[in-house]
């Protein structure tokens, strides 16, 4: 039971609306840490503010504060979803905005759960408000652990939505050095830990006093407090400086000769993509770009997701066979996105075909986008399901055990659009994959933050695996990304063109590719256990 002297006061409860507004503002500002803005330290500050607003709250208050943070983050960070519903899903403006808001409110529940658990554990367990949990175990153990565990849960529960993970904001920062070791969730853990250190270092005393919690024993200028501050600052600096050092390490090895790869971007507007009258101009645009790539002596030429808006069997003889023969003469291999129809099963797939000088191979997308590529719970949603008039929205999932595609002499890790957001699935292609290919269609989301955020996610996959990534998109941003996650060149958004460069195949596996999320999630569970143990030890004299 919370000691009476440490219960939240009436004044602090009355400040709850302001706390919720501040949390929402912190969440909104956190969007600046992600592409295209790239102000990665902003997220650390935002999370430090969030933790400070949670300490000393009741469980319900903590839920509201956390939920508000999530609404701010997702409301500004993923509101681009409404573009696909309104402009290309044939929904009215109000329905599209309403459904987007419902989705944001639902996804923000994960942050509400974070707030509720943080408040409950720091307020109800032994060592609660004013004790070791609120003083150091919450910011340094409990909060980072809960943040990552709930982020991980969001990444797979109900097919998952691993977007705006904290780690994705750090692809340009010092913490990027940890990515080949710990993956995106491990970097998320370090971001949340850095926020806890910052809160304890700078704001813990002020916010703790505001919440009615006792400050650190002794005057602010006491030797004990001074040593603590130096220690916290030292740990924070060590985490970030070590990331810089790790970023210099090579986790994989170059193998074989580099080859020239080209990514094509015909910039076909989404409003025309599935228009039958646009089929011939679309194909002509890609054939012209392909021949430009032949002239540049590209050996691998990648077209975007569903670049051909027609089933494979219908274009094989009139288009693909002659084009494959041309590619063979040029010593090139084409990788083309298009739908694939299975006549026998009467199902169709989002596919990626490799053809040319070294024969043919086919990959079928395994992880589909709910409501965009298939309709979940169709019988339960009833009339709402009919409102989603999205072309080609009844795909079936491919059943390949691993996302591998043979492209010329190499095995390649293949992903189609949204699949590259799932790091645990991308690494299933290793160590066989010599490089990665991702084809996408971010035209669904117009001129918004989505294409920039998606490019950042692709960069994380390259860095996690220690592999080059060749990325072709319909309207942008197409890019070649090296094994360190650095963009070597792009075709800018909403422009027609191609970009080619030498790509170096690589062998071996990063620690993350070997062990996946076991290490970061194991660390988070250990930190959660240590926080709970610290709380219980505070009332067991024999354990002190």
């Amino acid at each position: 039971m919370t000691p009476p002297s440490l219960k939240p006061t009436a004044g602090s409860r009355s400040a709850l609306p302001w706390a919720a507004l501040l949390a929402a503002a912190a969440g909104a500002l956190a969007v600046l840490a992600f592409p295209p803005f790239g102000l990665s330290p902003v997220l650390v500050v935002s999370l430090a503010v969030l933790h400070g607003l949670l300490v000393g709250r009741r469980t319900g208050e903590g839920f509201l504060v956390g939920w508000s943070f999530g609404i701010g983050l997702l409301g500004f960070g993923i509101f681009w979803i409404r573009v696909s519903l309104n402009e290309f899903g044939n929904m009215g403006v109000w329905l599209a905005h309403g459904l987007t808001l419902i989705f944001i409110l639902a996804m923000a529940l994960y942050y509400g759960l974070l707030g509720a658990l943080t408040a409950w554990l720091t307020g109800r367990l032994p060592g609660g408000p004013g004790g070791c949990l609120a003083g150091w175990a919450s910011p340094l153990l409990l909060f980072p652990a809960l943040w990552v565990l709930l982020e991980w849960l969001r990444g797979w529960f109900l097919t998952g939505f691993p977007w705006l993970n904290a780690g994705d904001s750090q692809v340009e920062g010092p913490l990027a050095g940890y990515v080949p070791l710990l993956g995106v969730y491990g970097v998320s853990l370090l971001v949340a830990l850095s926020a806890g250190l910052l809160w304890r270092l700078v704001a813990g005393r002020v916010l703790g006093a505001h919440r009615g919690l006792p400050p650190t024993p002794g005057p602010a200028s006491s030797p004990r407090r001074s040593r603590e501050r130096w220690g916290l600052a030292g740990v924070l600096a060590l985490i970030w400086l070590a990331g810089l050092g790790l970023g210099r390490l090579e986790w994989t090895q170059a193998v074989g000769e580099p080859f020239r790869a080209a990514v094509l971007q015909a910039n076909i507007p989404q409003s025309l993509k599935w228009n039958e009258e646009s089929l011939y101009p679309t194909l002509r645009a890609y054939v012209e770009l392909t021949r430009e790539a032949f002239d540049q002596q590209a050996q691998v030429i990648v077209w975007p997701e569903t670049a051909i808006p027609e089933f494979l069997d219908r274009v094989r003889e009139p288009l693909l066979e002659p084009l494959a023969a041309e590619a063979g003469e040029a010593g090139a291999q084409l990788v083309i996105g298009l739908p694939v129809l299975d006549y026998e099963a009467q199902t169709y797939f989002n596919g990626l075909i490799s053809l040319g000088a070294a024969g043919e191979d086919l990959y079928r997308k395994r992880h589909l986008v709910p409501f965009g590529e298939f309709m979940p719970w169709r019988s339960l949603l009833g009339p709402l399901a009919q409102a989603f008039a999205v072309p080609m929205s009844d795909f079936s999932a491919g059943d390949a055990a691993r996302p591998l595609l043979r492209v010329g002499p190499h095995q390649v890790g293949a992903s189609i659009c949204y699949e590259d957001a799932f790091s645990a699935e991308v690494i299933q292609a290793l160590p066989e994959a010599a490089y990665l290919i991702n084809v996408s269609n971010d035209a669904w989301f117009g001129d918004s933050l989505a294409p920039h955020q998606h490019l950042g996610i692709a960069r994380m996959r390259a860095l996690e695996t220690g592999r080059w990534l060749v990325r072709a998109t319909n309207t942008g941003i197409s890019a070649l990304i090296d094994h360190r996650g650095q963009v070597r060149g792009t075709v800018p958004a909403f422009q027609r063109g191609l970009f080619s460069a030498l790509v170096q195949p690589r062998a071996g596996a990063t620690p993350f590719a070997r062990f996946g999320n076991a290490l970061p999630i194991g660390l988070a569970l250990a930190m959660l256990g240590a926080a709970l143990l610290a709380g219980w030890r505070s009332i067991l004299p024999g354990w002190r």
Side-chain angles (χ1 to χ4, degrees):
M1 181 176 178
T2 303
S5 61
L6 296 179
K7 287 183 178 179
T9 64
S12 69
R13 287 198 298 272
S14 68
L16 179 61
W18 291 107
L21 286 173
L22 181 57
L29 286 173
V31 176
L32 297 176
F34 296 89
F37 311 106
L39 304 177
S40 56
V42 170
L43 186 57
V44 175
V45 177
S46 294
L47 294 190
V49 171
L50 173 61
H51 180 269
L53 293 170
L54 291 174
V55 173
R57 294 280 173 192
R58 291 179 175 178
T59 305
E61 294 175 339
F63 173 84
L64 180 60
V65 169
W67 194 38
S68 299
F69 180 92
I71 292 171
L73 174 66
L74 301 176
F76 281 84
I78 64 167
F79 196 70
W80 40 258
I81 289 174
R82 67 94 195 161
V83 177
S84 63
L85 301 179
N86 173 220
E87 297 183 19
F88 307 120
N90 299 315
M91 284 188 183
V93 173
W94 290 107
L95 180 58
H97 282 71
L99 289 176
T100 301
L101 178 60
I102 289 172
F103 180 75
I104 288 169
L105 294 176
M107 289 296 103
L109 291 174
Y110 287 100
Y111 301 91
L113 183 56
L114 167 77
L117 288 173
T118 301
W120 183 78
L121 289 172
T122 56
R124 297 297 182 92
L125 284 177
C132 65
L133 273 180
W136 62 267
S138 177
L140 306 187
L141 296 174
L142 181 66
F143 180 78
L146 290 174
W147 176 275
V148 170
L149 291 173
L150 288 168
E151 199 173 75
W152 172 70
L153 178 66
R154 179 165 60 91
W156 60 263
F157 184 63
L158 295 178
T159 79
F161 185 68
W163 211 270
L164 294 185
N165 286 332
D168 286 326
S169 69
Q170 306 299 308
V171 70
E172 286 283 3
L175 295 182
Y178 292 96
V179 173
L181 277 169
L182 300 174
V184 65
Y185 293 120
V187 176
S188 291
L189 186 67
L190 293 173
V191 170
L193 175 59
S194 297
L197 288 163
L198 180 63
W199 181 85
R200 183 68 180 155
L201 177 66
V202 177
R205 193 175 182 85
V206 176
L207 290 176
H210 174 69
R211 299 296 308 136
L213 303 176
T216 303
S221 60
S222 68
R224 174 180 175 180
R225 181 59 176 162
S226 179
R227 287 194 300 271
E228 179 187 346
R229 286 182 178 276
W230 279 107
L232 292 168
V235 172
L236 184 59
L238 180 62
I239 290 172
W240 287 67
L241 290 174
L244 287 174
L246 289 170
R248 297 177 176 274
L249 299 180
E250 291 281 358
W251 299 98
T252 57
Q253 307 81 43
V255 58
E257 293 297 320
F259 63 91
R260 182 165 293 277
V263 291
L264 311 186
Q265 182 175 297
N267 192 32
I268 307 298
Q270 188 63 29
S271 57
L272 300 178
K273 183 175 177 63
W274 297 102
N275 187 320
E276 187 174 348
E277 294 179 356
S278 300
L279 177 59
Y280 180 74
T282 296
L283 298 180
R284 182 175 61 189
Y286 278 111
V287 170
E288 290 174 354
L289 287 171
T290 299
R291 287 171 177 160
E292 287 183 38
F294 289 157
D295 292 341
Q296 295 183 18
Q297 299 183 329
Q299 296 160 273
V300 172
I301 302 167
V302 183
W303 298 23
E305 177 188 14
T306 57
I308 298 179
E310 185 58 274
F311 288 118
L312 170 61
D313 63 290
R314 297 178 185 173
V315 296
R316 179 183 289 280
E317 184 176 348
L319 174 68
L320 295 184
E321 289 181 358
L323 203 54
E326 247 185 283
E329 292 175 5
Q333 196 76 8
L334 305 177
V335 180
I336 300 173
L338 78 177
V340 179
L341 179 64
D342 184 332
Y343 278 101
E344 185 175 339
Q346 283 300 292
T347 56
Y348 58 89
F349 304 86
N350 194 342
L352 192 59
I353 189 170
S354 167
L355 47 85
E360 182 178 308
D361 197 11
L362 182 66
Y363 170 75
R364 296 176 174 87
K365 187 176 183 181
R366 306 184 307 161
H367 199 134
L368 303 178
V369 180
F371 304 104
E373 292 178 309
F374 78 102
M375 182 60 61
W377 318 300
R378 184 181 294 272
S379 60
L380 296 176
L381 293 176
L384 182 61
Q386 304 304 318
F388 286 83
V390 177
M392 301 293 290
S393 58
D394 196 21
F395 283 104
S396 296
D399 58 2
R402 301 171 67 195
L404 287 168
L405 178 72
R406 171 66 64 175
V407 180
H410 300 117
Q411 288 272 43
V412 171
S415 61
I416 298 178
C417 198
Y418 188 56
E419 287 185 311
D420 68 350
F422 298 87
S423 56
E425 297 177 14
V426 171
I427 62 173
Q428 291 173 2
L430 271 64
E432 287 85 350
Y435 61 100
L436 308 178
I437 287 178
N438 173 256
V439 297
S440 293
N441 180 21
D442 291 333
W444 285 107
F445 309 110
D447 187 9
S448 68
L449 298 179
H452 304 277
Q453 293 171 353
H454 202 175
L455 177 61
I457 288 172
R459 294 177 63 186
M460 288 295 288
R461 299 295 86 84
L463 190 50
E464 283 174 339
T465 58
R467 296 292 193 276
W468 281 67
L469 191 151
V470 181
R471 184 172 193 264
T473 69
N474 277 299
T475 59
I477 304 168
S478 301
L480 289 177
I481 304 167
D482 70 18
H483 66 292
R484 292 181 173 273
Q486 297 303 305
V487 176
R488 292 299 185 95
T490 67
V491 183
F494 307 109
Q495 293 185 24
R496 172 178 166 170
L498 67 86
F499 177 79
S500 70
L502 292 178
V503 170
Q504 175 61 63
R506 301 188 71 83
T510 62
F512 175 74
R514 293 180 185 276
F515 304 111
N517 289 320
L519 186 53
I521 300 307
L523 283 172
L525 289 172
M527 291 169 68
L528 177 60
L532 300 181
L533 180 62
W536 284 105
R537 284 185 56 144
S538 67
I539 62 165
L540 297 176
W543 286 24
R544 292 182 179 179

